[in-house]
Amino acid sequence: GVNFLSGGMSEEDASVALNEINKLDAKKPWSLSFSYGRALQASCLKAWCGKEENTKAAQDAFMARAKANGEANLGTYAGGASGDSESL
């Protein structure tokens, strides 16, 4: 497959861009994806803040971003999943 780096994009922008690439109705002989680190990490780290008591909130944030990116990889992401709108 082909993986794009999303450097400088927020996690939401990275998910939306991936979705737009994958919903294009064209012959794609390979999978198109992002290196998902950026599109997963900001809201998780913000929720966690390095505190054990925030582990569940960080896990929930991660699952929301993972679901959004799974949908974006299929070209079905509608946008608006909870996530950080700032780039790292």
Side-chain angles (χ1 to χ4, degrees):
V2 176
N3 286 310
F4 296 95
L5 295 176
S6 56
M9 299 174 99
S10 71
E11 54 189 15
E12 178 67 6
D13 287 345
S15 298
V16 169
L18 176 60
N19 186 70
E20 292 302 311
I21 289 169
N22 281 309
K23 76 178 191 181
L24 179 67
D25 188 22
K27 182 178 179 180
K28 296 175 233 148
W30 46 73
S31 175
L32 299 172
S33 189
F34 272 111
S35 172
Y36 283 120
R38 169 118 14 215
L40 291 170
Q41 65 190 5
S43 58
C44 302
L45 292 172
K46 189 180 280 188
W48 179 49
C49 294
K51 297 178 182 176
E52 187 174 338
E53 63 268 20
N54 295 337
T55 299
K56 176 74 167 98
Q59 290 171 336
D60 290 346
F62 179 83
M63 290 304 295
R65 296 308 315 159
K67 182 179 184 301
N69 288 311
E71 292 170 357
N73 198 49
L74 298 172
T76 61
Y77 180 55
S82 62
D84 202 330
S85 60
E86 297 177 24
S87 62
L88 293 178

